[in-house]
Amino acid sequence: VNISSGGMTFPAYLAAPTGAGYWPAIVMVHSFNGLEPGYLTLADMLAGDGFVVIAPEWQTFNRTPSDKTVGWLIEDSVSFLENRSNVNPDMMGLTGFCAGGRYTMLFLPQMNFQSGVAFYGFPYSGGFLNESKPSDFLEQLTAPMLIIHGTHDQPSSVSDIYQYAIELNETDKYFELKVYQG
């Protein structure tokens, strides 16, 4: 499918359960390496479990877009989902991987999602253009967040994830953290 955002049209992968229904939905934000086949497989698996999933290709026009551009694309992806008759707009989640994990940490507090899952994100990074850090928005977080991380992830150190978890805890935000060895 295509998502119109900021005067541009972005391709996106859409996966939905078969048959009639009113389903929860997920906006899936890929890593810096693009919308690789594994993300399509995951979207299909989630659709098989009863979720409508949209995965926009946020690097369509720029390998390192601004946070504002990605934020607009996420919001417009939500609007796309809300306009589908098979989506329950009161049950929206956000998930992302690597750079997409950073976007999950950054936009979950700023947008109206009911939950989020950040896979090895960057809580203290200003992103490609040294913009806002996800840790700057902790006070705004109202949705529960699951953080999944590996101890050997080199770009995003596990020590930063532990520090972020400490700050989430200190601000009494609900989160779960799963760290895998390796």
Side-chain angles (χ1 to χ4, degrees), residues 25-133:
I26 300 169
V27 176
M28 180 187 294
V29 187
H30 63 76
S31 73
F32 184 71
N33 293 326
L35 191 57
E36 299 172 299
Y39 296 116
L40 310 183
T41 300
L42 179 57
D44 291 340
M45 291 171 58
L46 289 167
D49 288 338
F51 295 89
V52 177
V53 181
I54 191 150
E57 294 188 42
W58 54 267
Q59 292 173 309
T60 298
F61 299 100
N62 186 335
R63 188 154 166 82
T64 57
S66 69
D67 289 347
K68 182 187 261 188
T69 298
V70 176
W72 284 339
L73 181 57
I74 291 170
E75 288 175 340
D76 291 328
S77 295
V78 168
S79 294
F80 177 90
L81 291 170
E82 289 175 336
N83 286 314
R84 293 180 55 88
S85 62
N86 66 342
V87 169
N88 181 345
D90 296 325
M91 296 181 73
M92 291 273 189
L94 177 63
T95 191
F97 303 81
C98 198
R102 176 186 172 271
Y103 290 130
T104 299
M105 293 172 171
L106 181 64
F107 293 121
L108 186 64
Q110 299 181 62
M111 296 180 183
N112 189 29
F113 287 100
Q114 283 67 51
S115 63
V117 181
F119 290 83
Y120 45 98
F122 299 85
Y124 301 105
S125 171
F128 307 116
L129 305 177
N130 198 26
E131 297 174 272
S132 299
K133 297 175 186 162

